[in-house]
Amino acid sequence: MPAKSKSKGKKVAPAPLAVRKAAGKTPKNPLFEKRPRNFGIGQAVQPRRDLSRYVKWPQYVRLQRQRKILLQRLKVPPALTQFTRTMDKNMTTQLLKILNKHRPEDKAQKRDRLNTLAESKAEGGSGETTKKPIVVKYGLNHIVDLVESKKATLVVIAHDVEPIELVVWLPTLCKKMDVPYCIVKSKARLGKVVHKKTAAALAFTTVKSEDKPEFAKLVQSVRASYNDKYEDVRKVWGGGILGIKSQHKEAKHQKALAAEEAKRMQV
């Protein structure tokens, strides 16, 4: 049986275009011509963009960034987590103020002092040294001796010592010997106090008489923040923070589980 031919309907003529109202155009000022930029190759200078994502950073930068991410993702034991609990800004400012008043002499000051001493001795003077200056102590071995002999009145530890094994045991020793200790940012700031690039730890044995009231208040605050909370801190683990993609994925999974549970309750 022959297939039926489909009847073609008549095409409807397109509707006439609506008559546009002649909008009153304001005359353009010939002094200000529109000159669109062409950002093609060899044309206008490209606009500034943030290209840091495409920069090949030095290896030490990549390593420290990867290390930071790993410490967020992995479970970090309490012995290392305690170094993230640094002193707050106000207390750190007070501490650095006292530290700068008790800086040891640098090489130039020592040279001048020895020259003055030699000149006085050459002129027939006694050549006796003056009273021992009150300065902050540095050097891990020296600080350990001061803590073990209970001569240290306050120990300041840097939070970013590398390798961390150099100072990871120092808070425990200070707690055992009942010596106040605190953790501050950073080893470069502590090193600047003692005219070095970096310093892992500093220690006070005594302070000048005019700074004793302020120092006593600081030690009291440090004891409350670190020594008294030592048992609580040694039970707190760090890390275990998921990345942003993993957080969204987990939230989506939990939402699906909640929806499934809601359906089950309705049945």
Side-chain angles (χ1 to χ4, degrees):
M1 194 172 174
K4 291 181 180 179
S5 60
K6 293 180 181 179
S7 60
K8 295 181 180 179
K10 291 184 178 179
K11 289 184 179 179
V12 181
L17 292 173
V19 181
R20 295 180 182 176
K21 294 180 180 179
K25 292 184 179 179
T26 54
K28 293 182 179 178
N29 190 341
L31 294 176
F32 301 101
E33 294 181 17
K34 189 177 180 182
R35 295 172 184 169
R37 291 185 181 183
N38 179 10
F39 293 115
I41 296 173
Q43 303 299 322
V45 179
Q46 295 286 335
R48 282 196 168 189
R49 296 186 182 92
D50 183 15
L51 301 176
S52 58
R53 186 180 176 84
Y54 304 99
V55 174
K56 186 176 181 183
W57 296 99
Q59 189 177 17
Y60 79 94
V61 174
R62 279 181 276 141
L63 283 174
Q64 67 189 12
R65 289 180 179 178
Q66 289 166 359
R67 181 173 175 272
K68 182 184 176 183
I69 296 298
L70 275 177
L71 288 176
Q72 289 177 353
R73 302 287 179 269
L74 303 177
K75 285 186 73 177
V76 183
L80 300 182
T81 306
Q82 65 180 337
F83 286 94
T84 60
R85 295 180 60 255
T86 53
M87 191 186 284
D88 64 13
K89 189 176 179 181
N90 293 333
M91 287 175 65
T92 305
T93 306
Q94 293 176 12
L95 176 64
L96 288 173
K97 188 178 175 183
I98 298 174
L99 280 171
N100 286 324
K101 288 183 180 179
H102 296 79
R103 297 181 75 183
E105 60 183 6
D106 58 7
K107 289 182 179 179
Q109 291 171 340
K110 185 178 181 181
R111 185 175 62 247
D112 294 342
R113 179 174 59 83
L114 292 177
N115 286 339
T116 306
L117 190 65
E119 287 171 5
S120 66
K121 197 172 182 180
E123 291 172 359
S126 61
E128 293 179 1
T129 56
T130 55
K131 192 177 179 182
K132 190 176 180 181
I134 299 172
V135 293
V136 71
K137 311 297 180 183
Y138 63 99
L140 269 178
N141 291 335
H142 189 193
I143 289 172
V144 170
D145 290 340
L146 293 173
V147 172
E148 288 178 342
S149 58
K150 294 190 176 182
K151 291 180 181 177
T153 54
L154 176 63
V155 176
V156 185
I157 309 168
H159 84 296
D160 57 346
V161 179
E162 186 66 34
I164 197 65
E165 288 83 4
L166 289 173
V167 293
V168 76
W169 43 268
L170 195 52
T172 307
L173 178 65
C174 292
K175 170 66 178 173
K176 184 179 178 182
M177 304 307 292
D178 195 29
V179 174
Y181 75 93
C182 62
I183 298 168
V184 299
K185 296 179 181 180
S186 62
K187 62 183 179 182
R189 290 163 88 182
L190 298 187
K192 193 175 180 182
V193 172
V194 293
H195 312 291
K196 303 285 182 185
K197 284 184 180 178
T198 58
L202 302 178
F204 285 99
T205 50
T206 182
V207 292
K208 296 174 183 176
S209 57
E210 63 267 19
D211 295 320
K212 282 184 179 178
E214 190 178 351
F215 183 72
K217 288 180 183 178
L218 183 65
V219 168
Q220 189 178 357
S221 302
V222 165
R223 273 193 182 277
S225 301
Y226 289 92
N227 291 59
D228 296 346
K229 293 182 180 178
Y230 178 79
E231 292 300 326
D232 299 331
V233 170
R234 65 191 291 266
K235 298 173 187 175
V236 178
W237 284 68
I241 302 170
L242 297 175
I244 191 68
K245 290 181 182 177
S246 300
Q247 287 179 21
H248 286 309
K249 190 176 179 181
E250 185 66 21
K252 189 177 178 182
H253 180 61
Q254 293 297 333
K255 190 177 179 181
L257 287 177
E260 188 178 344
E261 186 67 25
K263 279 184 181 179
R264 197 176 298 163
M265 293 294 289
Q266 289 175 0
V267 174

